[in-house]
Amino acid sequence: MTADSLTRQDPADDPTQFRCSAAARDRDDPLFASAPPARRWLLVEHPGPWGFQALGGAGFSAAVVEAVDEFCRSHEARFQLIRRTAARGAPTEAGGRFAVVDSRIGHESVRWGRVDSPEALPAALADLEASTEPSDEPVYLVCAHGRHDACCAMRGRPVAAVLATEYADRTWETTHTGGDRFAANVVLLPHGLVLGRVPATEAVRVAERYDAGEVDPALIRGRAGLAPAVQGAQHHARLALGEHRVTALAPLDVTPDATEPAVVTVRLAGTDGPLEVTVRERWIPSATPLTCSAGRTASMRTYDLVSLTPTRP
């Protein structure tokens, strides 16, 4: 299976069907500042079928749903179902895997565990030190949640398939990651970097660069867990400086403008000293829905660059 064969005659580009990802590409919607607020991630293996909502549609008992929901709330974690690319609809294997990933700056980590059934999840989550082991391997999540949005499956599954040919142990299809119109969406863990519009032809290169500590600024939607204004400031700084390093430009502080709420100054850690990046929030009306299932039009948020200057010592 080749990347070329997977992307030829992409059904997501069928002009007879409304597809949010094709419409967003036509509008050239800005990718950046759109990563979710998750500071941690809870990944649970589940071959599907997946319901519209990941947790509520997984078929878990009420007790398991309640325990997982409480864990995610208390740990600021995002819940994701995951599966191998060839596992759709297959029987759930004994000893299903789960992972807890910390994406906070300076705390990046991955811990994997196994449970005999979903009913064992609450006990495992209550004692992660006993139920999980740390891993140094990165994790590549590719949104392929077709029941949530058709574009996620149409564009995501080919990307996951290509990645899995090179990195079978690291690659997982996953449920909704947000930003359907940016499919194919890829999350690079443990850093929580969310990428959008990743073509299958570039999927392996994306993984190779991440392993080397680099990322393509043109694909970055943002780092999960950071405020949208911070993501916007990092985006503009990356472009201005040609910065590709994954860990570059960590936020130091954020200062809203006292007289203009839409304006925010973000202080970032630069190679030669701190940078001050001022951005202005702006909303862009869309002539078409932002997702395939949305029944009406909406607006999208972006951040314009006001200024970027080194901080004086």
Side-chain angles (χ1 to χ4, degrees):
M1 182 179 293
T2 67
D4 181 65
S5 66
L6 286 166
T7 55
R8 191 181 300 119
Q9 296 179 340
D10 191 336
D13 290 318
D14 182 353
T16 65
Q17 298 277 345
F18 174 76
R19 298 298 182 205
C20 65
S21 60
R25 289 165 190 252
D26 291 342
R27 293 189 303 261
D28 196 24
D29 289 0
L31 280 172
F32 66 92
S34 62
R39 294 161 63 83
R40 296 179 181 85
W41 305 74
L42 173 58
L43 318 177
V44 176
E45 187 174 18
H46 186 297
W50 295 337
F52 182 78
Q53 297 294 339
L55 182 55
F60 296 160
S61 70
V64 172
V65 170
E66 182 178 354
V68 168
D69 183 63
E70 174 57 30
F71 177 89
C72 290
R73 288 178 184 274
S74 61
H75 289 77
E76 297 181 273
R78 185 181 180 97
F79 177 77
Q80 301 284 146
L81 297 175
I82 58 173
R83 67 186 174 204
R84 296 302 191 189
T85 58
R88 287 191 294 276
T92 303
E93 67 177 60
R97 284 156 288 190
F98 73 96
V100 176
V101 182
D102 194 334
S103 292
R104 293 175 299 159
I105 295 174
H107 299 273
E108 295 88 350
S109 64
V110 179
R111 299 186 67 93
W112 282 100
R114 289 180 180 270
V115 290
D116 292 334
S117 73
E119 296 302 318
L121 268 175
L125 295 176
D127 190 356
L128 292 175
E129 288 294 324
S131 64
T132 63
E133 295 183 352
S135 170
D136 293 329
E137 288 283 294
V139 179
Y140 315 136
L141 301 182
V142 184
C143 183
H145 197 171
R147 190 164 292 183
H148 194 96
D149 195 290
C151 287
C152 296
M154 291 177 179
R155 295 193 187 274
R157 287 174 184 168
V159 170
V162 169
L163 267 179
T165 61
E166 296 292 331
Y167 302 101
D169 292 340
R170 301 178 179 181
T171 303
W172 299 86
E173 292 185 358
T174 192
T175 45
H176 180 58
T177 57
D180 307 352
R181 69 187 190 277
F182 299 131
N185 289 297
V186 177
V187 182
L188 303 175
L189 297 173
H191 290 87
L193 286 171
V194 182
L195 311 185
R197 295 192 187 125
V198 177
T201 51
E202 293 296 317
V204 171
R205 178 60 177 152
V206 163
E208 290 173 344
R209 293 192 68 172
Y210 181 56
D211 292 351
E214 293 190 348
V215 66
D216 184 350
L219 298 176
I220 299 178
R221 290 179 48 198
R223 178 163 178 160
L226 298 182
V230 175
Q231 297 178 34
Q234 287 181 327
H235 164 78
H236 289 296
R238 280 188 181 277
L239 292 186
L241 302 174
E243 182 60 78
H244 294 252
R245 290 174 299 158
V246 166
T247 59
L249 303 171
L252 302 174
D253 56 61
V254 180
T255 307
D257 191 296
T259 60
E260 192 173 352
V263 176
V264 176
T265 297
V266 182
R267 194 161 165 263
L268 302 173
T271 302
D272 299 318
L275 305 169
E276 281 191 357
V277 184
T278 300
V279 293
R280 177 180 285 106
E281 181 185 84
R282 178 167 59 93
W283 289 86
I284 306 170
S286 172
T288 58
L290 298 184
T291 67
C292 290
S293 59
R296 57 185 177 182
T297 60
S299 296
M300 67 195 87
R301 178 171 55 189
T302 191
Y303 287 88
D304 298 322
L305 178 64
V306 176
S307 64
L308 191 160
T309 58
T311 300
R312 294 179 180 177

